[in-house]
Amino acid sequence: MILHELISYEHLRLIWWVLLGVLLIGFAMTDGFDLGIGALLPFVARTDVERRVAINSIGPVWEGNQVWLILGGGAIFAAWPQLYAVSFSGFYLAMFAILMALILRPVGFKYRSKIDSPRWRNGWDWALFIGGFVPALIFGVAVGNVLQGVPFRLDDTMRIFYDGTFFGLLNPFALLCGVLSVCMLLTHGAAWLEVKTEGAVSDRARTIGSVTALLTLALFVLAGVWLYYGMDGYHITSEIARGGPSNPHAKTVALAPMAWFANYQAAPWTLIAPVLGVVGPLATFIALRARGEISALLCSNIAIFGVIATVGVAMFPFILPSSADPNVSLTVWDASSSHLTLFIMLVATAVFLPIILLYTAFVYRVLWGKVDAKAIESGDSHAY
């Protein structure tokens, strides 16, 4: 037997669907609080010292947290090349906006304290706000559009035709998902500040985080109700070869009311995802009000897992539905790389992902503790 045939093509596709979810959730849990703190910065910190306290709370880890975004993009490119091609070309302007916003973050971190000028520093603080707010909003808007279907077509030679526009992405449901994403990451950032800071910054973060936690809960429920009653989902109406060649044309797809909830009816245990999406924000609110530092951060992570997993489970096996031609919607079973490619990538992931996790845990352990405002003022032990 050839080595890569130890795991069937069908199972490899399923494994990589799970791994893609793990990487996206890992990004939201780690770089998510970086984005949240950037968006919170002008509101939780009023003096220069307070803002430096907030920035230094993520100073040692923000660069490492971005590894999860790179891993997620790399996984899409290598494991789901058609998904990568369609999404990165169709969402080109949105991706460019995210990229430009993310570029502002390292520049802002490095340059805001280079000149002792309130105007200079305030300008970079708002740049950091943009660097946190814009990606959080657009990531959510993208998810909202994926749930509705993306206007792309594939011809017989698999060429991609995208019929949408940038402003077409800014529809009401997608904007709702975008605001949900912002509130979720603001809550996560507030929970991190609760762990890492003291005094006025922590108090303001707790107040804002309590509000955004309740907003996350309300918006998540509202999005679910909208999806259930006001939007059709996609479902496959033909046989599909789960271990067959990657050809999106080899199936038929139809839209139907409440189709996005069929997986929950077929496998009730998957309801754990939306339950966590509801319980997580509520528990985060309670923990923040009770000044529970670690518990608030843990509950915020649970909320993120629940919200993202709810979308993944609802859409399975779809990974990118097409509103222009539903029959060419991309699924787990017909949009992946080859059997051999998925196996080689799985071996590499089995080797390197534990190393990344261990190193990340080591860094967090070594750099754990409160950010001290007195040390910030003395300039002895903080980078920014």
Side-chain angles (χ1 to χ4, degrees), residues 14-292:
L14 187 59
I15 289 170
W16 272 103
W17 174 78
V18 173
L19 284 175
L20 179 58
V22 169
L23 294 175
L24 294 178
I25 292 172
F27 166 67
M29 287 182 175
T30 54
D31 209 35
F33 63 73
D34 297 343
L35 298 176
I37 290 173
L40 285 170
L41 187 61
F43 311 105
V44 297
R46 295 174 183 172
T47 67
D48 181 64
V49 171
E50 289 178 353
R51 292 185 177 182
R52 290 184 65 195
V53 166
I55 291 171
N56 278 281
S57 73
I58 57 174
V61 297
W62 72 269
E63 290 177 291
N65 290 341
Q66 292 192 131
V67 167
W68 292 95
L69 177 62
I70 297 169
L71 289 174
I76 293 174
F77 173 77
W80 312 100
Q82 291 172 321
L83 171 62
Y84 182 90
V86 174
S87 60
F88 277 69
S89 58
F91 295 161
Y92 178 79
L93 290 178
M95 295 289 184
F96 184 76
I98 291 174
L99 178 62
M100 293 304 297
L102 290 177
I103 287 174
L104 284 175
R105 288 204 303 163
V107 179
F109 286 144
K110 298 296 183 183
Y111 281 91
R112 77 168 300 279
S113 296
K114 295 296 184 182
I115 298 177
D116 188 11
S117 163
R119 185 176 180 181
W120 170 270
R121 294 184 176 185
N122 188 60
W124 282 116
D125 290 339
W126 282 104
L128 291 173
F129 166 80
I130 293 172
F133 178 83
V134 171
L137 178 68
I138 294 180
F139 284 136
V141 167
V143 172
N145 279 280
V146 169
L147 284 167
Q148 296 174 87
V150 178
F152 73 92
R153 297 174 287 112
L154 301 175
D155 68 8
D156 293 338
T157 62
M158 302 301 292
R159 288 188 303 170
I160 301 166
F161 297 88
Y162 182 77
D163 299 329
T165 64
F166 175 77
F167 292 104
L169 299 175
L170 305 178
N171 56 78
F173 180 78
L175 288 173
L176 171 65
C177 293
V179 176
L180 168 59
S181 174
V182 170
C183 289
M184 181 174 70
L185 296 187
L186 286 177
T187 305
H188 201 42
W192 180 257
L193 288 174
E194 177 74 0
V195 171
K196 295 289 289 183
T197 66
E198 296 176 321
V201 174
S202 178
D203 292 339
R204 296 187 195 110
R206 189 183 311 113
T207 300
I208 296 174
S210 299
V211 175
T212 55
L214 293 180
L215 285 174
T216 300
L217 171 60
L219 292 171
F220 180 65
V221 173
L222 177 58
V225 171
W226 191 336
L227 204 62
Y228 189 84
Y229 289 105
M231 194 175 302
D232 291 341
Y234 292 70
H235 70 104
I236 298 172
T237 57
S238 63
E239 294 292 330
I240 185 168
R242 290 176 170 81
S246 291
N247 180 11
H249 289 284
K251 66 178 182 305
T252 56
V253 175
L255 277 73
M258 299 177 287
W260 284 145
F261 295 83
N263 288 335
Y264 295 113
Q265 295 176 346
W269 66 269
T270 58
L271 286 168
I272 187 64
V275 168
L276 292 178
V278 170
V279 172
L282 182 59
T284 305
F285 168 78
I286 295 172
L288 284 171
R289 300 315 301 168
R291 299 176 181 266

Side-chain angles (χ1 to χ4, degrees), residues 319-333:
I319 52 178
L320 192 64
S322 169
S323 58
D325 182 3
N327 291 332
V328 300
S329 298
L330 306 183
T331 75
V332 172
W333 313 122

